[in-house]
Amino acid sequence: MYRLKTSAEFDSAHFLAGYKGKCANIHGHRWKTEVIVESPELIADGEKRGMIIDFGDLKREVRALADSFDHALIYENGSLRETTLAALRDEDFRLIEVEFRPTAENFAKHFFGVLRESGLPVKSVTVYETPENCAVYEED
């Protein structure tokens, strides 16, 4: 089995609604996303012969996904009052609403799905919330 790994980072804020602890408050992270793609075979001919995928193509996809979340407040649908959202929008803050609780575990699964949908042969996605703490998502 052949595997490639690349990573991208982004800065964003989030909070965990309904959580009883520090993470209930808005706080930021330098998220790091590592993506592993795999294939039992390499491309047999042409310009990309001997590759699973061109590293440039892989990095471009992963970087674009990370960039789409960069410098934003990521919040779960229904976790903020409309008046709060209106005030944040009025200040032109970049807000990203997601349909899941914005944990490292859920980000790993979400990124896996987005990249798999784009056609990448994704094996696993690891999302670091801090340099020492990460969540990994993979499917059999």
Side-chain angles (χ1 to χ4, degrees):
M1 189 65 62
Y2 297 97
R3 292 188 177 127
L4 298 179
K5 179 170 78 171
T6 192
S7 64
E9 297 180 358
F10 63 97
D11 298 300
S12 69
H14 76 143
F15 66 95
L16 302 180
Y19 181 76
K20 304 234 185 303
K22 294 189 304 183
C23 293
N25 291 304
I26 294 173
H27 61 286
H29 292 285
R30 175 119 181 116
W31 303 90
K32 180 178 181 179
T33 303
E34 289 183 347
V35 176
I36 296 176
V37 296
E38 74 172 7
S39 176
E41 298 176 4
L42 301 177
I43 297 169
D45 53 18
E47 175 185 7
K48 296 179 183 175
R49 183 171 51 90
M51 301 177 184
I52 295 173
I53 184 175
D54 187 301
F55 260 119
D57 296 337
L58 176 60
K59 291 188 308 187
R60 188 172 21 266
E61 290 283 335
V62 174
R63 176 81 260 155
L65 183 56
D67 286 349
S68 72
F69 284 90
D70 194 43
H71 282 81
L73 170 58
I74 303 166
Y75 68 97
E76 182 179 9
N77 178 25
S79 64
L80 290 173
R81 294 183 189 118
E82 273 307 314
T83 53
T84 303
L85 286 170
L88 292 169
R89 288 182 185 122
D90 191 47
E91 294 292 336
D92 290 324
F93 284 112
R94 184 162 186 260
L95 306 172
I96 298 175
E97 181 181 272
V98 293
E99 296 297 321
F100 53 85
R101 196 176 205 195
T103 62
E105 296 90 336
N106 284 327
F107 277 126
K109 182 178 182 181
H110 177 72
F111 294 160
F112 183 101
V114 169
L115 293 169
R116 176 72 63 89
E117 244 180 57
S118 77
L120 291 176
V122 182
K123 166 66 175 164
S124 68
V125 173
T126 303
V127 174
Y128 285 84
E129 192 174 89
T130 69
E132 296 84 25
N133 299 304
C134 65
V136 179
Y137 183 82
E138 59 185 42
E139 295 179 355
D140 294 330

